[in-house]
Amino acid sequence: MADFSDPVILARIQFAFTVSFHIIFPATSIGLASFLAFVQWRWMQTREEVYLTLFDFWIKPFAVVFGMGVVSGLMLSYEFGTNWSVFADKAGPVIGPLMGYEVMTAFFVEAGFLGVMLFGRDKVGPRLHFFATFMVAAGTLGSAFWILSVNSWMQTPAGYGMNEAGQFIPLSWMEVIFNPSFPYRFVHMVFAAYLTTALVVAATAAYHLRRARQNRTTRKMFSLAMWIIAIVAPLQILAGDQHGLNTYEHQPAKVAALEGHFKTRKAAPEYIFGWPNMETGEIDYAVSIPYLGSWILTHDFNAEVVGLDQFPREDWPNVNILFWSFRIMVGLGLLFFTLGCWGLWKRYRGQLYDSPRLAQFALMLGPTGYIAVLCGWVTTEVGRQPYTIYGLLRTSDSVSPVAAPAVATSLAAIVVVYLFVFGLGTLYTLRLLAKDPPDSPAEQQRGLLDQGGRRAVRIWRLIWPGREV
Amino acid sequence: MDYALIWALILAIGVFVYVALDGFDLGVGILFPLLEDEQERDTAIGAIAPVWDGNETWLVLGGGGLLAVFPLAYSVIFPALYVPLIAMLLALVFRGVAFEFRVHAGRHKRFWDHAFFGGSLVAAFAQGISLGAWLQGIEVVGRSYSGAWWDWLTPFSVATGLALVFGYALLGAAWLNLKTEGALNARVNRLIIPLAAATIGFIVAVSLWTPFMNERYAARWFTFPTMIYALPVPLFVAATVFTLWQSLKNDNALRAFLSAELLFLLCYIGIGISVWPHIVPTAITIHDAAGPDKSLGFLLVGAVVLIPLILAYTAAAYWIFRGKVKHGGYHH
């Protein structure tokens, strides 16, 4: 069991807790910023009122979520120093400049243009206002680029040397930034953010759709979100598969643990369920599909896959956590894919807005994108253990010379404040989402009505000319 | 000029920009209980809402930049200031969300007003304590902090903490004086003189205290030739105080605000004169702490291009939101 008088364990819990809270907000703001830029761009193109209504509806939750993201991210940028100072000293010359670029190219861009985006519509013209929204969206993606570069370097370090003070020093910045796992991780995370946001938007629309099915703003919201899910969910499965192959190449112990492969063998099965037993090296209560494990990792049914027996016991990550976090993530991913397909089918049948069961399903999946994101991060971060820099610097050698009571006290304070503040933040955000979006005038968006509806409007006009429908 | 020196200068400027900008919006928070009613508080929030995000980002640059170019200093200073830094960050969490939440909080709006005040106060006090704890010296053995985890708490650091609280309140009052009109304006206008007096009192106390803490500091200020550089600082402080008083008398709000900011700049330069060339007083110099040239050079390329750009659009944002804030401020 975890030893709570050990500063390493406490520092790990503290970092895991703060980073897990933090990732919720960027996962939303990356997706929402792009969504807002998209609807504003469509409004510039079509001048259809509905896009502006959507923009106004989503900018409020965006502001709240963005604010929570900024303050929780600020905490993280200092935590490297307070709790992980040896790591900061050793890895600073490599990861520090990447984080410096993140602040300069992304954080400042987001924060600088946010004021104009939120409050400036009446002060600057529509073009400049769109530019501000666009810059905020670009800034969120820039942030993700640099931070994932840092994280990927810690997973698959490249382009570095060591100096006499024991620090990692950069030899090639291209190799550092575009380290072997970076492209996969970046794409996987951006898709995750888009998908998570689309699920929230779809659930919000589904909630309102059940109450007022004719609201054109709600319909548009639902339609856009379902398009994003239908497109991104399958792409995410492909990206995840590619990421998995990359991880298998560079971090085989992580993959062995998340697949529950204790022994190296050919034609390995894929465990669907089971309970990894780290004592006996078996999967208890296993339900498995033969050959599938080999196929997933190598795309060859009979290939040999590496098991944990290839690694010293002290280099194993925690198998139980990885095994389950990975399965929850993949399982949810398949549900998202199902939702996307179902939406496409109903759209094809012309019943996208008329299926209570589809709306119910979308509503249920609304918050699950976050669970998938968190499980994904748990998989990759717990899988990196027992190292902070994979294979090079152990977690136990990275921690600050700070006494356990200090870490324990700050951990307790952080937990209390975070639960309180971000709990209420979530409540306020939900309250905003529960407000009915105003309906949009029919005139400007006939495209939203189905054929039958349009015919009805025309007939209605004959009876009562000039009357708004 | 070498990389370490250039970066010390850039970081020093970055931290000052943070103090100059977030200083006034923290100050607005500290003044919150002195405002009359909900409408005045809304207006005060409106006077900072469009810019606070950008202001706070300079603090991230301070933390991130230190890690990037002086990793050794970062890994020594942060454990030494563990408690005040965590307190500051949690306070900033409260303050940051209070901005966004109070509009949506309905009948709990008052609660977030208190949170905004408390967060601003604790953040300012913790920053002042961190400054004092840093200035009084940090124990180092090898490459890490070797002091105890309560070393930061001394009478001196409490004094610097209070100094910053009053100083930020002064900046906040001067900013509101510039951005508001009517009764609120009259109220904050009356606050500036007493706040300035308190701030100057603390400046004098801390300035007299500092040289006695460390003989290196004393030598800087009281021996030839370095005192030639040091002496003008108190003279300029006196001149600035006079300008502040004059501009208040002439009702020149912009000039009063800039005078208050100039006061901060002069103190900042004074501290720089004391600690130079150390980045961890009095244990590690900027050259000892600097990362390899390859790291400093790589980031410098970006900094040279991007920091002027950031300053330019920050200025543009201030220009867009120039002028007095109407009652109720901005909404989204």
Side-chain angles (χ1 to χ4, degrees):
Chain A
M1 208 39 227
D3 176 6
F4 290 103
S5 62
D6 179 1
V8 181
I9 293 289
L10 290 168
R12 280 181 62 187
I13 295 174
Q14 183 169 326
F15 200 81
F17 182 82
T18 43
V19 82
S20 300
F21 254 98
H22 176 67
I23 191 65
I24 301 281
F25 307 119
T28 315
S29 56
I30 292 170
L32 263 190
S34 292
F35 181 75
L36 286 167
F38 176 77
V39 294
Q40 200 176 6
W41 173 71
R42 287 291 292 158
W43 180 75
M44 304 271 287
Q45 269 195 330
T46 64
R47 296 286 157 175
E48 284 178 22
E49 187 86 12
V50 66
Y51 290 110
L52 209 54
T53 319
L54 278 177
F55 184 88
D56 287 338
F57 182 85
W58 282 102
I59 191 108
K60 295 182 187 96
F62 177 78
V64 175
V65 169
F66 193 93
M68 294 194 282
V70 170
V71 291
S72 60
L74 184 67
M75 177 70 89
L76 287 174
S77 79
Y78 279 73
E79 223 161 21
F80 284 115
T82 50
N83 286 338
W84 302 99
S85 66
V86 178
F87 167 79
D89 177 29
K90 288 183 190 292
V94 175
I95 64 164
L98 305 186
M99 292 163 84
Y101 268 101
E102 195 239 336
V103 178
M104 290 192 299
T105 61
F107 218 139
F108 270 113
V109 170
E110 295 167 51
F113 285 96
L114 186 73
V116 180
M117 177 191 181
L118 295 180
F119 307 105
R121 196 196 284 165
D122 303 331
K123 301 218 165 227
V124 299
R127 277 167 184 280
L128 190 52
H129 189 238
F130 171 68
F131 178 70
T133 312
F134 175 81
M135 289 304 278
V136 171
T140 59
L141 290 171
S143 265
F145 177 93
W146 291 109
I147 284 303
L148 284 158
S149 178
V150 169
N151 181 265
S152 301
W153 187 84
M154 290 164 68
Q155 305 269 0
T156 55
Y160 65 91
M162 304 289 283
N163 69 5
E164 63 280 8
Q167 291 174 306
F168 293 84
I169 51 165
L171 295 180
S172 157
W173 282 110
M174 285 306 280
E175 283 178 38
V176 168
I177 297 168
F178 297 98
N179 59 77
S181 66
F182 168 67
Y184 301 95
R185 231 173 269 281
F186 178 61
V187 170
H188 202 42
M189 181 65 217
V190 171
F191 281 167
Y194 280 5
L195 204 46
T196 302
T197 307
L199 286 162
V200 171
V201 176
T204 308
Y207 172 78
H208 294 294
L209 211 51
R210 283 150 40 111
R211 309 202 312 181
R213 200 181 296 170
Q214 299 307 324
N215 183 314
R216 282 164 292 250
T217 308
T218 307
R219 285 173 168 240
K220 192 73 187 174
M221 197 191 296
F222 193 62
S223 169
L224 287 176
M226 291 302 288
W227 272 124
I228 300 171
I229 294 166
I231 295 166
V232 179
L235 288 176
Q236 179 68 313
I237 290 171
L238 286 177
D241 174 57
Q242 292 299 310
H243 187 189
L245 297 181
N246 177 268
T247 307
Y248 182 62
E249 190 185 336
H250 294 279
Q251 299 177 297
K254 180 194 281 188
V255 173
L258 66 83
E259 287 289 11
H261 292 154
F262 286 100
K263 296 179 190 67
T264 306
R265 61 171 142 175
K266 289 186 170 158
E270 175 70 17
Y271 296 105
I272 306 299
F273 287 107
W275 191 256
N277 188 328
M278 286 178 76
E279 306 298 317
T280 61
E282 301 286 338
I283 303 289
D284 299 341
Y285 320 109
V287 176
S288 62
I289 299 174
Y291 301 105
L292 188 62
S294 281
W295 185 79
I296 286 176
L297 293 178
T298 61
H299 292 192
D300 170 2
F301 285 107
N302 286 306
E304 182 177 85
V305 295
V306 175
L308 284 167
D309 55 6
Q310 302 284 312
F311 307 94
R313 183 66 180 77
E314 69 269 19
D315 289 352
W316 290 12
N318 185 308
V319 183
N320 291 64
I321 296 176
L322 287 183
F323 186 85
W324 278 104
S325 63
F326 179 68
R327 266 150 197 77
I328 295 170
M329 174 186 75
V330 172
L332 287 172
L334 294 173
L335 286 181
F336 305 155
F337 180 68
T338 310
L339 176 65
C341 293
W342 191 355
L344 281 181
W345 171 247
K346 284 289 174 193
R347 198 190 293 271
Y348 172 73
R349 297 284 302 270
Q351 302 166 335
L352 185 62
Y353 314 109
D354 305 316
S355 166
R357 284 205 289 180
L358 176 64
Q360 183 73 39
F361 189 48
L363 189 57
M364 268 168 43
L365 286 187
T368 54
Y370 297 111
I371 298 173
V373 166
L374 284 173
C375 285
W377 276 105
V378 166
T379 305
T380 202
E381 294 298 277
V382 174
R384 179 161 43 81
Q385 297 303 330
Y387 297 101
T388 45
I389 302 173
Y390 198 68
L392 299 171
L393 181 65
R394 282 186 177 265
T395 310
S396 52
D397 298 330
S398 304
V399 79
S400 295
V402 176
V407 190
T409 313
S410 65
L411 172 61
I414 289 169
V415 169
V416 170
V417 169
Y418 270 42
L419 289 179
F420 177 74
V421 166
F422 298 128
L424 282 173
T426 309
L427 204 69
Y428 293 139
T429 311
L430 289 175
R431 198 187 282 174
L432 285 172
L433 297 185
K435 272 187 195 153
D436 291 320
D439 203 350
S440 302
E443 279 295 284
Q444 290 153 328
Q445 34 175 314
R446 252 168 266 143
L448 281 177
L449 299 172
D450 52 336
Q451 287 296 330
R454 231 176 280 173
R455 207 169 301 133
V457 169
R458 243 176 273 134
I459 294 167
W460 185 247
R461 287 264 164 69
L462 288 173
I463 304 167
W464 199 340
R467 169 83 182 177
E468 286 284 339
V469 178
Chain B
M1 286 278 253
D2 55 21
Y3 282 133
L5 201 59
I6 296 170
W7 267 111
L9 213 62
I10 293 176
L11 278 189
I13 293 170
V15 170
F16 180 73
V17 174
Y18 170 76
V19 170
L21 297 182
D22 213 30
F24 74 74
D25 56 50
L26 283 165
V28 169
I30 295 168
L31 296 175
F32 234 43
L34 301 176
L35 304 183
E36 182 73 7
D37 54 21
E38 209 48 56
Q39 197 187 36
E40 285 198 0
R41 282 189 284 271
D42 285 349
T43 311
I45 287 275
I48 49 178
V51 292
W52 81 271
D53 252 313
N55 294 350
E56 200 152 278
T57 303
W58 293 92
L59 186 62
V60 188
L61 183 70
L66 197 63
L67 170 60
V69 291
F70 299 115
L72 180 60
Y74 177 89
S75 68
V76 167
I77 294 173
F78 282 34
L81 303 180
Y82 193 88
V83 178
L85 284 183
I86 299 272
M88 173 192 81
L89 293 168
L90 289 175
L92 289 178
V93 166
F94 262 101
R95 187 186 70 118
V97 299
F99 263 104
E100 304 297 341
F101 289 0
R102 64 191 291 283
V103 194
H104 308 296
R107 63 201 163 85
H108 298 301
K109 195 171 178 184
R110 279 307 295 272
F111 172 80
W112 290 111
D113 286 349
H114 292 304
F116 181 58
F117 162 67
S120 305
L121 183 70
V122 173
F125 190 54
Q127 283 175 11
I129 283 198
S130 302
L131 171 71
W134 173 78
L135 198 56
Q136 74 194 3
I138 290 174
E139 272 182 58
V140 178
V141 172
R143 293 180 76 82
S144 42
Y145 174 59
S146 63
W149 65 287
W150 285 99
D151 282 8
W152 53 272
L153 188 64
T154 60
F156 179 74
S157 69
V158 172
T160 50
L162 290 174
L164 216 56
V165 169
F166 281 99
Y168 280 172
L170 171 65
L171 290 183
W175 176 256
L176 288 180
N177 183 37
L178 180 66
K179 297 295 285 185
T180 62
E181 45 200 9
L184 174 58
N185 184 278
R187 201 182 318 284
V188 292
N189 192 298
R190 281 197 299 275
L191 286 171
I192 295 179
I193 292 282
L195 284 173
T199 306
I200 291 156
F202 275 107
I203 291 174
V204 171
V206 170
S207 304
L208 292 178
W209 200 334
T210 308
F212 291 105
M213 237 165 7
N214 189 306
E215 55 201 38
R216 293 187 74 107
Y217 296 167
R220 267 301 136 68
W221 289 90
F222 301 118
T223 57
F224 199 76
T226 47
M227 63 187 285
I228 298 177
Y229 303 108
L231 258 187
V233 175
L235 296 179
F236 277 121
V237 168
T240 308
V241 170
F242 181 71
T243 316
L244 176 62
W245 187 59
Q246 282 286 317
S247 18
L248 284 175
K249 242 176 42 181
N250 302 332
D251 229 10
N252 189 334
L254 180 62
R255 208 197 212 168
F257 175 69
L258 293 177
S259 304
E261 292 280 10
L262 187 59
L263 214 50
F264 267 79
L265 181 61
L266 289 167
C267 294
Y268 196 74
I269 291 172
I271 293 166
I273 289 173
S274 291
V275 298
W276 174 261
H278 289 106
I279 191 163
V280 180
T282 52
I284 300 173
T285 66
I286 56 168
H287 287 97
D288 295 339
D293 279 359
K294 189 133 186 171
S295 303
L296 275 57
F298 172 66
L299 194 58
L300 189 60
V301 176
V304 165
V305 180
L306 293 167
I307 290 183
L309 205 66
I310 292 165
L311 286 170
Y313 70 66
T314 303
Y318 274 83
W319 178 250
I320 287 169
F321 296 102
R322 69 190 177 279
K324 303 274 185 187
V325 183
K326 299 293 164 223
H327 277 305
Y330 297 105
H331 290 293
H332 58 71

